[in-house]
Amino acid sequence: MQSPLADRLRPRTLAEVCGQQHLLGPGRVFRKAIESGRVPNMIFYGPSGVGKTTVARIIAENSGMRLHKLNGTSAGTGDIKAVMAEIGTFQSRNGLLLYLDEIQYLNKKQQQSLLECMEDGTVTLIASTTENPYFYIYNAILSRSTVFEFKVVEPAEIERAVQRAFIYLEEERGERIVPEEGVIPYIAQACGGDVRKSINAVELCVLASPMPA
């Protein structure tokens, strides 16, 4: 089964990410920290579809560390222990990086289980949340991490993603796709700053359009 278009189009470099220039722009503290080669413990906070997961994956995949991905909606204590079991093994010789999406769904005890390895640096945590971290994340985790806020993406930035989605589908399907005038800015405006939603809208438009004769 084919993955959603938003996943197929997920940016592979920070330069391809739409918006978030207050973090990703040249000379910004966040960008300089990432490019230094030393990934700190970080928490990404912001609404859905604005690039939190994408940026975390780009950082993780370029870190050289052993990467583990968990989602707070489905991960249990056993999953966290399985990650910790790799500490000190050959696979983790360059360090372990745990990418934890939707961390707010882990209970306090589960979050506490991460503290010791964060403290001694054997595991680096990148976590993301759509909820205010100062209410939903355990204080000891916050004190060992830097919180970065991701903002709603401006329509002008989203238009880039919408145009790219139409071009990608045109190449994938091997047929000419020409959006009517005003369609691209309309989608960019109507998606409420959510890049993923805008790309899903493009996919629906194409799928619902009549096939060429």
Side-chain angles (χ1 to χ4, degrees):
M1 184 170 60
Q2 194 174 45
S3 62
L5 179 60
D7 282 337
R8 308 201 302 277
L9 272 177
R10 193 180 293 276
R12 297 182 181 275
T13 67
L14 294 179
E16 293 178 356
V17 177
C18 293
Q20 312 310 331
Q21 289 305 296
H22 65 293
L23 299 176
L24 304 179
R28 298 293 184 177
V29 171
F30 178 87
R31 183 69 174 261
K32 292 172 71 174
I34 299 308
E35 291 176 343
S36 73
R38 293 181 57 86
V39 182
N41 296 310
M42 296 182 287
I43 295 171
F44 296 166
Y45 158 53
S48 297
V50 297
K52 301 186 303 299
T53 300
T54 294
V55 171
R57 286 181 176 177
I58 291 170
I59 293 169
E61 290 168 1
N62 288 279
S63 67
M65 292 186 279
R66 170 77 164 172
L67 172 62
H68 285 274
K69 302 175 185 177
L70 296 177
N71 190 295
T73 60
S74 57
T77 303
D79 298 302
I80 297 173
K81 287 182 177 179
V83 175
M84 305 308 168
E86 286 199 9
I87 294 174
T89 64
F90 178 77
Q91 293 97 325
S92 66
R93 62 191 181 281
N94 294 324
L96 282 172
L97 194 153
L98 173 60
Y99 170 54
L100 183 53
D101 199 11
E102 304 290 0
I103 188 177
Q104 74 272 15
Y105 289 106
L106 295 185
N107 61 39
K108 183 177 179 180
K109 184 176 180 180
Q110 290 170 324
Q111 292 187 34
Q112 286 177 321
S113 67
L114 299 167
L115 291 175
E116 183 177 349
C117 59
M118 292 176 64
E119 188 71 41
D120 62 21
T122 52
V123 173
T124 299
L125 175 70
I126 298 181
S128 64
T129 176
T130 55
E131 304 291 347
N132 189 327
Y134 298 101
F135 289 101
Y136 287 88
I137 297 178
Y138 185 49
N139 283 338
I141 295 284
L142 289 173
S143 71
R144 291 163 174 79
S145 309
T146 303
V147 177
F148 293 98
E149 183 178 2
F150 281 60
K151 300 179 180 179
V152 169
V153 182
E154 295 296 323
E157 287 287 332
I158 292 180
E159 282 193 32
R160 289 173 45 210
V162 173
Q163 290 172 337
R164 183 168 173 244
F166 275 117
I167 293 170
Y168 180 92
L169 286 176
E170 183 176 76
E171 294 174 350
E172 183 180 70
R173 293 163 67 95
E175 60 188 48
R176 183 74 169 143
I177 298 174
V178 182
E180 292 184 9
E181 185 177 352
V183 166
I184 289 176
Y186 178 81
I187 292 175
Q189 287 280 352
C191 69
D194 185 327
V195 178
R196 181 169 53 240
K197 186 182 293 184
S198 73
I199 293 175
N200 289 340
V202 171
E203 186 170 32
L204 180 61
C205 285
V206 173
L207 291 174
S209 299
M211 297 290 289

